Amino acid sequence: MTILSAEKILFTPASVESDGIPVIFAFPNEYSVGITSLGYQVVWSTLALRSDVEVSRLFTDIQETLPREAELLGFSLSWELDYMNILNLLESLDIPTHSEERGEHHPLVFGGGPVLTANPEPFAAFFDVILLGDGEDLLDQFIDTYKVLRNAPRQEKLRVLAQVPGVYIPSLYEVIYQDITSGIEEIKPKITEIPSMIQKQTYRGNMLSASTVVTEKAAWESIYMVEVVRSCPEMCRFCLASYLTLPFRTPSVEGSLIPAIERGLKVTNRLGLLGASVTQHPEFEALLDYINQPKYEDVRLSISSVRTNTVTEKLAQILSQHDSRSITIAVESGSERVRQIINKKLANEEILQAAENAKAGGLKALKLYGMVGIPGETEEDIEATVQMLKEIKRGVPGLRLTLGCSTFVPKSHTPFQWLGVNGESKKRLQYLQKQLRSHGIDFRPESYNWSVIQALISRGDRRITPLLELTRHYGDSLGSYKRAFKELKGQLPPLDFYVHQNWDTQQVLPWQHLAGPLPQSTLIKHLQESMS
């Protein structure tokens, strides 16, 4: 059986009109990874439901039959380093990697997804069009506008598309630097009829997304995914998933979530509930009761990270009965002081209580997410994390404890976007490893070097594009990036400027012309509150 023939498609694709727009929609990774992305599935089905579009899918390992002359080529970008695969795929299709080198016969290359919505500037040269924000309404508006322009010259298409809310045409904006190796002076449109500020689009309907295809070839085998909430009401000050996707949205259980779940459970018995803070849906209890009916007793249920004080014995019991072994909570730190800095409203007692409830409900393991290098953190705060975990280990014997730990990385559109990566973080990860492993706590650190690369891309501007192109050939290690910086010395600021420096709140940010959900003044206020 071929990979694609294993798919169970949960919608009926439209019959394509004879002059349908030929579109290639790509995911710059292997099929098993791409098809597990809910965002990719939803955009693909939105295109496939249009009779005026003929869409073919493309992954790095497999593809559907591609049109000879595609008019649009789209990419969904969920992981920063997948940009390398975008360049590989463009080259395999004989399309120049830079938008300025493409001619009338080349397709318009468009992109969307969390990485491009957060900060598209390091990748701006590769795209003709970038879609900012939620795709639900934006994608159709983009296609409808393109359809009218189909026979227009390329530059005319871009000029008109730039006037659609949420559509960003990087080539029509000029970035002026104070100096090639320091900050940005100004970002401005090159022509008068396009906006100086592009507004990220926010979908406000009552239906969030759910899987449109289920397959055993996905990275999460045969899973049907339902988005239970979008954004998060907690607003931890470092968190892109909360700030970038505001406001917090919750579809109705009766009108939206239950019908979606029923549709999926007809084809599989594996259900994933997704969202930054699933258990904070106001009707979550009702949703749990629905899934816990006898008719669904063979359903395997998994839920993404949950808020600590919502881990009840009942929740643990239901998860345990539905084949879950563990539950994941984000605590960030064992220090109450650090949690106040980041606006994590949580006490150590609640974390201990969550562990007790998890065990009492029959779960075998508790996974915690932590972070080092949080602004304002001291060595005493790291020690507080060790003590908290030891206390849980003593207080709840028999429960397997895991701490997954990353380094703080500044993210655009959050109050901490101005703050750099703490150079002490690597040592702090090593200290945690030494302390926790000796107490039988499974410690899983994320690579510090990867955090540095992430910060570079997260706060990068257009000057790092040549650097990304060099490292593509050197490999994706921190050493490769340092080598590329050395080679490009004098053509861009040093690594330290993007990664470790604290920026002035008055300086022009690389994404200053891309409006997120909250104004800059509000983010500065939140930053000042954290520092006080």
Side-chain angles (χ1 to χ4, degrees):
M1 180 165 68
T2 66
I3 285 182
L4 293 174
S5 66
E7 291 183 335
K8 294 169 183 165
I9 294 181
L10 301 171
F11 67 98
T12 306
S15 305
V16 182
E17 297 159 8
S18 57
D19 65 341
I21 302 163
V23 178
I24 298 171
F25 186 47
F27 192 92
N29 208 310
E30 293 176 353
Y31 171 84
S32 68
V33 177
I35 210 64
T36 312
S37 160
L38 191 51
Y40 180 82
Q41 285 191 25
V42 170
V43 172
W44 165 61
S45 63
T46 304
L47 294 170
L49 283 165
R50 294 185 62 126
S51 59
D52 54 359
V53 167
E54 185 173 1
V55 62
S56 310
R57 291 175 294 167
L58 169 65
F59 302 91
T60 55
D61 53 347
I62 65 159
Q63 61 187 54
E64 292 179 313
T65 306
L66 302 182
R68 288 233 338 259
E69 289 179 7
E71 291 180 36
L72 296 171
L73 165 60
F75 288 96
S76 176
L77 189 57
S78 303
W79 196 58
E80 290 88 344
L81 292 187
D82 276 349
Y83 82 84
M84 298 186 185
N85 291 326
I86 291 178
L87 302 182
N88 295 339
L89 288 169
L90 286 170
E91 285 172 356
S92 73
L93 296 167
D94 285 329
I95 297 168
T97 55
H98 281 228
S99 61
E100 62 190 22
E101 292 161 9
R102 295 176 195 139
E104 294 296 337
H105 62 292
H106 290 120
L108 286 187
V109 178
F110 72 94
V115 170
L116 293 175
T117 293
N119 175 20
E121 292 305 281
F123 315 108
F126 312 142
F127 292 94
D128 299 299
V129 178
I130 291 170
L131 306 180
L132 299 174
D134 296 334
E136 278 88 348
D137 302 323
L138 177 56
L139 187 68
D140 283 330
Q141 286 162 6
F142 165 59
I143 299 290
D144 291 345
T145 309
Y146 174 81
K147 199 175 158 184
V148 178
L149 300 164
R150 252 179 116 173
N151 300 314
R154 192 177 187 88
Q155 279 309 311
E156 170 72 1
K157 285 175 186 159
L158 295 177
R159 189 182 62 77
V160 178
L161 283 166
Q163 296 168 57
V164 176
V167 174
Y168 173 41
I169 310 294
S171 62
L172 295 181
Y173 291 80
E174 181 186 7
V175 183
I176 300 160
Y177 303 100
Q178 293 162 349
D179 172 306
I180 197 66
T181 58
S182 61
I184 297 170
E185 180 79 44
E186 188 187 4
I187 303 169
K188 59 179 187 177
K190 292 180 181 175
I191 53 176
T192 53
E193 62 265 54
I194 64 173
S196 56
M197 195 75 148
I198 304 102
Q199 189 71 50
K200 170 194 165 296
Q201 294 303 287
T202 302
Y203 168 68
R204 295 176 189 274
N206 180 39
M207 286 286 288
L208 291 183
S209 48
S211 290
T212 57
V213 57
V214 169
T215 173
E216 66 198 41
K217 306 291 184 188
W220 296 339
E221 196 181 319
S222 299
I223 196 163
Y224 176 79
M225 298 172 284
V226 178
E227 188 184 13
V228 175
V229 297
R230 190 170 291 180
S231 194
C232 173
E234 292 306 306
M235 293 176 73
C236 295
R237 293 181 174 121
F238 61 84
C239 181
L240 186 69
S242 180
Y243 274 85
L244 186 66
T245 54
L246 287 169
F248 182 54
R249 283 152 285 168
T250 58
S252 104
V253 165
E254 279 295 327
S256 172
L257 294 176
I258 287 175
I261 289 169
E262 283 173 344
R263 210 163 47 244
L265 294 181
K266 286 192 177 98
V267 298
T268 183
N269 71 340
R270 184 155 185 212
L271 176 64
L273 302 182
L274 306 189
S277 195
V278 173
T279 50
Q280 278 174 284
H281 190 293
E283 302 174 89
F284 187 73
E285 195 80 6
L287 186 63
L288 263 191
D289 290 337
Y290 170 79
I291 295 164
N292 204 33
Q293 296 177 88
K295 67 172 175 175
Y296 292 138
E297 67 182 356
D298 70 329
V299 167
R300 294 172 62 196
L301 175 65
S302 47
I303 59 178
S304 51
S305 181
V306 301
R307 180 154 163 74
T308 307
N309 62 3
T310 60
V311 180
T312 59
E313 197 174 321
K314 176 183 174 178
L315 171 63
Q317 210 165 11
I318 290 172
L319 285 172
S320 172
Q321 283 162 3
H322 288 272
D323 219 25
S324 276
R325 301 265 173 274
S326 66
I327 196 163
T328 304
I329 56 176
V331 297
E332 312 318 338
S333 172
S335 160
E336 308 237 348
R337 190 184 74 84
V338 165
R339 291 200 296 265
Q340 279 176 335
I341 291 172
I342 58 178
N343 196 35
K344 188 99 189 167
K345 306 168 196 78
L346 188 57
N348 280 4
E349 297 73 56
E350 292 172 285
I351 301 169
L352 184 60
Q353 188 62 58
E356 287 171 358
N357 291 349
K359 186 184 176 188
L363 292 173
K364 302 281 178 266
L366 177 67
K367 295 179 181 170
L368 301 114
Y369 279 138
M371 195 181 274
V372 297
I374 290 166
E377 172 193 87
T378 64
E379 283 171 15
E380 287 74 41
D381 298 314
I382 298 296
E383 192 49 51
T385 299
V386 173
Q387 293 311 319
M388 178 194 75
L389 284 156
K390 280 158 66 172
E391 195 181 325
I392 297 171
K393 188 81 182 159
R394 275 196 309 273
V396 195
L399 185 70
R400 232 183 24 259
L401 267 191
T402 301
L403 177 67
C405 198
S406 59
T407 296
F408 161 72
V409 170
K411 295 288 185 180
S412 57
H413 307 287
T414 71
F416 285 178
Q417 62 186 355
W418 291 280
L419 305 176
V421 172
N422 185 333
E424 292 294 302
S425 300
K426 191 173 190 173
K427 275 194 213 149
R428 290 177 184 177
L429 286 171
Q430 287 164 347
Y431 178 78
L432 283 174
Q433 179 144 3
K434 197 173 154 193
Q435 294 296 315
L436 297 176
R437 291 215 166 142
S438 61
H439 286 90
I441 294 161
D442 186 9
F443 182 62
R444 296 184 188 173
E446 192 175 84
S447 149
Y448 170 76
N449 288 355
W450 159 236
S451 298
V452 169
I453 295 167
Q454 235 188 329
L456 167 68
I457 295 174
S458 170
R459 295 214 291 177
D461 51 46
R462 296 184 183 189
R463 289 172 293 188
I464 74 165
T465 304
L467 184 104
L468 296 180
E469 291 173 306
L470 276 179
T471 51
R472 175 186 169 209
H473 301 294
Y474 296 165
D476 59 7
S477 71
L478 185 56
S480 303
Y481 283 82
K482 287 182 171 169
R483 177 182 168 192
F485 265 105
K486 207 177 255 178
E487 208 161 308
L488 295 169
K489 196 174 178 191
Q491 296 171 48
L492 78 169
L495 177 74
D496 197 55
F497 169 81
Y498 293 109
V499 176
H500 297 294
Q501 253 183 48
N502 289 343
W503 289 352
D504 190 303
T505 53
Q506 299 311 303
Q507 78 185 67
V508 177
L509 298 166
W511 50 89
Q512 193 97 357
H513 55 310
L514 311 173
L518 295 176
Q520 200 88 308
S521 55
T522 305
L523 297 179
I524 291 172
K525 187 166 151 273
H526 289 192
L527 174 68
Q528 288 163 345
E529 281 167 10
S530 78
M531 294 306 153
S532 66

